[in-house]
């Protein structure tokens, strides 16, 4: 007989912990109890301010009011990331949440664009993407359109501390019990090896059937207690430290994240309603912390509002993200670079997966294996996408960039690059959160241009092709003049000052 699961204990009250508590309780309701243990002595990592569009599914499942959410978390709209200096210093490109042109079965727009480019017509792929046009014009509106060509997919930048508090209030209203306390010891059942209870400093004890480890980089249950093991990916993603600092907000708020490459790492700049978030992600083999602080502070656009905070990390993942009766969610489950803002998405995706596979009737090896299989594939796809940004560079100004350019990369990524380079085709995998338009923009932005295109693109004459491109460019820009600026939108929609 498998033991029925009804008492869920979440360890940790960062973004992962509160999102897990809120979603579990909202979806599974009274079938489970949820207790969350967190320690003010340790605190949260406190970064993680940029998201990707699936965050809207979380808000919709939780039934959050978008205007209230934007107000409470001091959020702004994110349409893209602008990658600056990544291919070569002085150049930039966007990875938007949109797509160039209009999607067409079998022959995507970029094949027409490639044919035009190969026949000598100079044209910028991003001119056919409304998200890019909005970023350049600093505009945003919630589009209600019948034609998906004008859909504007978006995500948010938010204050992660405020986001945690917002989810905490929400979860407590749903009956999640918060326990303040430092977990000092963990009891294990000698037969099954399952976690049975947490011992708190000062004498308290929390019992549970199922534990969600959201203890951050400490990986208290999945790592320290169960010794699950960690797959280290630092040979592909060599940055191992970040330094974060807030700075004064600008007069006007950009609707995108900036990612600015330096000689051995990169800097993020994230606009919020009340401040900018900044940070440098770097390799300690190439910069000392003092050098990193100099680079970061000398490259702020406005004055710093606090001392820089250092956050060490190791890229990789827990070998099993579900082990015994513990599922790791958030930083305890692994960490990929914040380059594509995927960690909060991975938290969401882990919880959704757990909700699908939740072992009400008891834990079975089939459920555990399926959960681990899906998690592994998902992490690996995101890893490959991030490696692409580093590997496909043409910078020659430091050993760091030469090393990442010359390193061996995972076979699946190499294959993707080769197929695109030769035939212009994009290989899409079911578990890859990044769809074809994302890969397309980063491949082209990093200088990997297709040498051929789909034969269907030959169905037009040269003249028809030139017309198609010119009309598309015009059509994509049509909504722009009526759209408010990003700041006007924030003010109208949620009363942001
Ligand atoms: C530099 C950097 C930049 C990032 N940028 C982004 C981004 O732009 N977008 C994005 O999606 N993600 C980003 N992330 C990731 C994001 O910050 C995390 O995924 C997110 O904050 C979740 O963290 P967490 O909840 O897993 O851990 P934490 O925030 O570290 O929370 C851990 C919790 O566990 C508790 N805890 C730990 N040990 C104990 C104990 N013994 N007893 C009791 N409680 C304990 C702590 O008190 C805390 O409440 C970034 C990460 C880094 C490092």
């Amino acid at each position: 007989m498998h033991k029925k699961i009804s008492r869920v204990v979440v360890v940790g009250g960062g973004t992962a912990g509160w999102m897990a508590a809120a979603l579990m309780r909202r979806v599974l309701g009274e079938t489970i109890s949820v207790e969350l243990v967190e320690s003010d002595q340790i605190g949260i990592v406190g970064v993680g301010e940029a998201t990707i569009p699936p965050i809207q599914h979380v808000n919709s499942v939780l039934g959050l009011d978008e205007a209230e959410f934007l107000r409470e978390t001091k959020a702004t709209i994110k349409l893209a990331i602008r990658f600056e200096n990544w291919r070569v210093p002085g150049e930039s490109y966007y990875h938007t949440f949109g797509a160039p042109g209009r999607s067409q079965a079998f022959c995507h727009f970029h094949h027409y664009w490639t044919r035009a480019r190969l026949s000598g017509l100079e044209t910028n792929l991003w001119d056919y993407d409304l998200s890019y046009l909005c970023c350049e014009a600093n505009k945003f509106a919630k589009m209600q359109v019948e034609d998906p060509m004008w859909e504007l997919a978006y995500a948010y930048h938010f204050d992660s501390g405020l986001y945690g508090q917002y989810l905490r209030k929400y979860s407590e209203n749903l009956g999640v019990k918060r326990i303040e306390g430092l977990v000092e010891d963990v009891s294990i059942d000698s037969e099954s090896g399952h976690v049975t209870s947490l011992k708190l400093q000062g004498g308290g004890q929390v019992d549970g059937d199922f534990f969600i480890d959201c203890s951050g980089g400490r990986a208290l249950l999945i790592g320290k207690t169960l010794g699950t093991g960690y797959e280290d990916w630092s040979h592909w993603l060599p940055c191992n430290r970040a330094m974060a600092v807030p700075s004064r907000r600008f007069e006007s708020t950009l609707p995108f994240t900036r990612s600015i490459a330096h000689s051995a790492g990169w800097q993020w700049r994230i606009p919020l309603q009340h401040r900018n978030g900044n940070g440098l992600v770097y390799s300690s083999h190439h910069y000392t912390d003092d050098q990193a602080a100099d680079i970061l502070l000398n490259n702020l656009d406005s004055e710093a509002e606090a001392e820089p905070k250092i956050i060490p990390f190791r890229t990789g993942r827990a070998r099993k993200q579900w082990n015994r009766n513990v599922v790791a969610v958030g930083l305890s489950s692994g960490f990929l670079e914040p380059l594509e803002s995927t960690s909060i998405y991975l938290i969401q995706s882990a919880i959704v997966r757990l909700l699908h596979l939740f072992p009400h009737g008891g834990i079975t090896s089939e459920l555990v294996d399926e959960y681990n299989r899906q998690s592994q594939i998902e992490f690996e796809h995101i890893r490959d996408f991030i490696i692409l940004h580093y590997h496909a560079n043409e910078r020659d100004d430091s050993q760091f960039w030469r090393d990442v350019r010359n390193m061996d990369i995972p076979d699946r990524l190499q294959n993707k690059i080769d197929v695109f380079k030769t035939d212009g085709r994009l290989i899409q995998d079911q578990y890859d959160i990044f769809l074809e338009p994302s890969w397309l923009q980063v491949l082209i932005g990093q200088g990997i241009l297709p040498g051929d295109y789909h034969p269907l693109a030959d169905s037009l004459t040269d003249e028809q092709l030139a017309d198609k491109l010119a009309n598309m460019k015009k059509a994509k820009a049509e909504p722009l003049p009526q759209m408010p600026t990003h700041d006007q939108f924030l003010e109208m929609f949620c009363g942001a000052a």
Side-chain angles (χ1 to χ4, degrees):
M1 276 285 285
H2 296 296
K3 185 172 175 252
K4 289 204 183 318
I5 306 288
S6 61
R7 293 172 306 167
V8 174
V9 178
V10 178
V11 182
T15 303
W18 284 115
M19 195 187 273
L23 281 170
M24 298 291 291
R25 189 65 188 176
R26 171 80 181 187
V27 176
L28 300 182
E30 299 293 328
T31 61
I32 53 161
S33 66
V34 180
E35 291 181 306
L36 183 146
V37 184
E38 68 173 319
S39 165
D40 285 341
Q41 281 181 54
I42 295 180
I44 61 167
V45 69
V47 279
E49 302 184 321
T51 57
I52 56 176
I55 185 83
Q56 293 187 16
H57 300 314
V58 175
N59 290 3
S60 127
V61 171
L62 296 181
L64 303 182
D65 174 74
E66 191 179 21
E68 180 192 272
F69 166 78
L70 282 161
R71 229 177 359 256
E72 293 285 322
T73 64
K74 300 278 184 209
T76 65
I77 299 295
K78 177 181 169 191
L79 294 171
I81 303 176
R82 187 167 78 195
F83 289 98
E84 303 172 25
N85 306 336
W86 276 84
R87 186 178 75 82
V88 286
E91 262 193 20
S92 64
Y93 70 91
Y94 285 85
H95 168 200
T96 74
F97 299 136
R102 184 197 290 274
S103 194
Q104 201 174 311
F106 302 114
C107 184
H108 290 309
F109 180 79
H110 78 269
H111 292 290
Y112 295 98
W113 175 80
T114 300
R115 182 182 146 197
R117 187 183 58 79
L118 291 175
S119 64
L121 195 70
E122 276 297 317
T123 149
N124 174 7
L125 179 73
W126 285 268
D127 281 346
Y128 308 95
D129 177 354
L130 179 59
S131 306
Y132 162 80
L133 299 173
C134 287
C135 288
E136 289 281 285
N138 202 353
K139 290 192 159 194
F140 177 74
K142 276 163 74 77
M143 301 289 279
Q144 268 154 10
V145 288
E146 273 175 26
D147 189 332
M149 186 173 86
W150 286 299
E151 269 169 12
L152 208 46
Y154 63 95
Y156 311 104
H157 304 113
F158 55 57
D159 180 319
S160 57
L162 295 177
Y163 184 62
Q165 287 170 29
Y166 187 57
L167 289 184
R168 172 179 164 184
K169 201 159 91 190
Y170 178 96
S171 307
E172 288 183 319
N173 281 340
L174 280 189
V176 172
K177 183 175 164 205
R178 174 183 181 270
I179 300 166
E180 164 61 37
L182 184 80
V183 179
E184 265 190 343
D185 200 10
V186 180
S187 303
I188 299 278
D189 180 82
S190 56
E191 257 178 51
S192 63
H194 284 201
V195 172
T196 53
S197 63
L198 312 173
K199 301 258 179 337
L200 305 184
Q201 194 179 53
Q205 175 170 320
V206 185
D207 300 327
D209 306 321
F210 196 81
F211 291 79
I212 306 186
D213 184 352
C214 298
S215 64
R218 285 176 171 75
L220 189 67
L221 303 182
I222 201 82
K224 211 167 150 205
T225 306
L226 297 181
T228 303
Y230 194 78
E231 203 176 326
D232 187 326
W233 288 338
S234 52
H235 51 294
W236 285 314
L237 296 169
C239 290
N240 58 3
R241 271 171 115 68
M243 189 176 282
V245 71
S247 68
R248 200 168 40 78
R249 80 172 291 272
F250 297 136
E251 292 312 309
S252 79
T253 317
L254 298 176
F256 57 88
T257 303
R258 288 178 65 196
S259 165
I260 308 150
H262 291 293
S263 60
W266 61 278
Q267 180 179 347
W268 76 79
R269 197 166 292 162
I270 293 178
L272 303 177
Q273 288 180 27
H274 57 317
R275 62 168 167 79
N276 286 317
N278 307 273
L280 185 77
V281 174
Y282 58 101
S283 147
S284 62
H285 303 296
H286 295 77
Y287 291 155
T288 63
D289 291 339
D290 285 345
Q291 284 171 318
D294 278 348
I295 293 171
L296 177 61
L297 297 175
N298 289 328
N299 284 286
L300 297 181
D301 281 349
S302 54
E303 80 208 50
E305 290 189 326
E307 284 301 307
K309 171 178 158 191
I310 294 176
I311 308 152
F313 61 81
R314 184 159 60 116
T315 49
R317 60 178 282 277
R319 285 193 188 279
K320 288 184 198 167
Q321 283 155 326
W322 182 344
N323 190 2
R324 309 252 163 72
N325 62 339
V326 173
V327 165
V329 175
L331 295 175
S332 63
S333 70
F335 185 58
L336 288 162
E337 280 248 359
L339 188 58
E340 282 285 356
S341 330
T342 42
S343 291
I344 295 173
Y345 167 74
L346 282 166
I347 293 173
Q348 157 184 357
S349 166
I351 304 164
V352 170
R353 182 171 303 123
L354 180 59
L355 287 168
H356 278 300
L357 299 172
F358 193 76
H360 289 280
I363 296 170
T364 63
S365 58
E366 289 80 8
L367 288 174
V368 176
D369 291 349
E370 181 56 22
Y371 183 94
N372 285 328
R373 185 186 73 81
Q374 291 181 18
S375 312
Q376 178 177 350
I377 302 175
E378 183 171 59
F379 257 73
E380 286 177 355
H381 280 298
I382 295 177
R383 173 200 69 193
D384 289 357
F385 189 53
I386 296 173
I387 294 174
L388 171 66
H389 301 61
Y390 281 97
H391 177 65
N393 82 82
E394 294 168 29
R395 293 180 62 129
D396 218 8
D397 54 317
S398 76
Q399 196 54 41
F400 175 86
W401 291 106
R402 283 189 287 273
D403 286 349
V404 286
R405 180 165 63 244
N406 294 324
M407 70 186 169
D408 285 334
I409 57 173
D411 291 345
R412 189 169 42 207
L413 173 60
Q414 188 63 60
N415 186 39
K416 247 184 174 150
I417 295 175
D418 292 345
V419 170
F420 183 71
K421 218 178 187 166
T422 319
D423 296 305
R425 314 296 158 85
L426 290 157
I427 300 172
Q428 183 68 58
D429 188 280
Q430 185 195 353
Y431 288 105
D432 190 351
I433 181 63
F434 291 107
L435 305 179
E436 288 184 358
S438 293
W439 283 89
L440 176 73
Q441 294 176 69
V442 175
L443 282 160
I444 289 180
Q446 292 292 142
I448 298 177
L449 296 173
D452 201 357
Y453 52 87
H454 196 286
L456 275 177
D458 275 330
S459 60
L460 303 178
T461 63
D462 285 351
E463 207 184 359
Q464 283 171 329
L465 179 65
D467 279 354
K468 180 183 171 80
L469 293 179
N471 292 338
M472 181 58 73
K473 198 162 159 176
K474 217 165 116 204
K476 279 283 177 153
E478 256 168 36
L480 267 187
Q482 293 84 45
M483 290 169 85
T485 65
H486 182 203
D487 280 317
Q488 284 166 343
F489 167 80
L490 291 172
E491 193 182 340
M492 286 184 302
F493 188 69
C494 68

